[in-house]
Amino acid sequence: DAKTTQPTSMDCAEGRAANLPCNHSTISGNEYVYWYRQIHSQGPQYIIHGLKNNETNEMASLIITEDRKSSTLILPHATLRDTAVYYCIVRPYSGGGADGLTFGKGTHLIIQP
Amino acid sequence: DAGITQSPRHKVTETGTPVTLRCHQTENHRYMYWYRQDPGHGLRLIHYSYGVKDTDKGEVSDGYSVSRSKTEDFLLTLESATSSQTSVYFCAISADRDGNQPQHFGDGTRLSIL
């Protein structure tokens, strides 16, 4: 699977948009970009995923560059409850073999009051 | 949130004792997974299941066994627990294994082997 690179930590003011970048320059054409987050002591929570097009759901928006080498997760109006570690993951379309997700170190997002 | 319940949520036991962790889902999803999470290692796949009585090994399967006799339940067993198996264990489920199907996680079991 392609490797991802994320900043170690970021701060954002409450009520502002939080923009979390991810670099995945070795991504291949059949690999999806996934975002999860993990709040302390809880299981990873699925946020959003996409292949080529930008995606939006009730939690966030995902912007994927045209060359697919990077993406940005946008939390439109961050709240204190959005403080968590955010993971960007690249995942192939076809499973084949053990289909475990590979979580890197992620970005620790801290929402400031 | 996906209907996933892990039990127990916390357990402390002694080296050499058997331990069974349970994952129960109400989503009728075909695929179920067991991961462990340790500082410095992220999440690592232990075993997964692709249907009733169909299971396979993941990255760190040594010392663990699994069983799935019903769609909704996936059990993880440590036959003889060791201190190196102290960890947080997460169960995940997905409707299918292709890349367009997200895995959804439970809230974990914190296991301490003394």
Side-chain angles (χ1 to χ4, degrees):
Chain A
D1 297 353
K3 182 178 177 179
T4 61
T5 304
Q6 300 177 250
T8 301
S9 65
M10 294 181 62
D11 287 352
C12 179
E14 188 177 18
R16 304 296 294 269
N19 295 273
L20 291 89
C22 179
N23 181 284
H24 32 79
S25 59
T26 61
I27 194 170
S28 59
N30 67 344
E31 290 181 316
Y32 285 81
V33 178
Y34 272 77
W35 283 84
Y36 283 81
R37 72 181 182 184
Q38 189 169 22
I39 298 169
H40 183 61
S41 299
Q42 297 182 18
Q45 179 186 21
Y46 165 75
I47 301 173
I48 198 167
H49 74 283
L51 184 62
K52 296 180 181 178
N53 301 320
N54 299 336
E55 302 286 345
T56 295
N57 63 21
E58 65 279 3
M59 289 184 66
S61 295
L62 173 60
I63 308 298
I64 302 174
T65 58
E66 192 170 345
D67 64 7
R68 303 187 68 241
K69 293 184 177 182
S70 65
S71 62
T72 301
L73 177 74
I74 301 172
L75 307 178
H77 304 287
T79 71
L80 298 179
R81 287 177 293 182
D82 291 323
T83 292
V85 178
Y86 287 75
Y87 297 98
C88 171
I89 298 166
V90 171
R91 187 177 175 209
Y93 175 80
S94 58
D99 195 26
L101 298 178
T102 300
F103 286 70
K105 297 187 184 303
T107 296
H108 187 194
L109 176 66
I110 300 171
I111 307 301
Q112 305 282 0
Chain B
D1 289 343
I4 306 168
T5 304
Q6 291 188 234
S7 58
R9 293 296 314 279
H10 303 272
K11 187 173 183 66
V12 180
T13 191
E14 295 182 347
T15 300
T17 60
V19 177
T20 296
L21 308 183
R22 181 185 184 227
C23 178
H24 178 79
Q25 59 141 332
T26 58
E27 305 297 320
N28 200 36
H29 282 353
R30 179 180 174 189
Y31 291 86
M32 299 185 74
Y33 310 81
W34 276 107
Y35 291 83
R36 60 179 289 174
Q37 186 173 35
D38 305 289
H41 290 278
L43 268 77
R44 293 180 289 175
L45 183 67
I46 305 171
H47 281 280
Y48 67 104
S49 169
Y50 45 97
V52 173
K53 297 185 180 179
D54 291 324
T55 65
D56 207 344
K57 297 179 179 180
E59 177 188 356
V60 290
S61 59
D62 287 348
Y64 301 95
S65 62
V66 289
S67 65
R68 191 166 177 203
S69 59
K70 298 184 291 185
T71 298
E72 58 266 34
D73 289 326
F74 192 31
L75 304 181
L76 177 71
T77 297
L78 292 65
E79 300 289 350
S80 178
T82 68
S83 58
S84 65
Q85 294 175 310
T86 291
S87 187
V88 182
Y89 291 85
F90 290 104
C91 171
I93 66 173
S94 66
D96 206 336
R97 72 187 310 176
D98 70 79
N100 199 25
Q101 293 292 335
Q103 293 184 17
H104 296 279
F105 288 79
D107 280 335
T109 293
R110 189 171 298 274
L111 179 63
S112 297
I113 314 294
L114 304 179

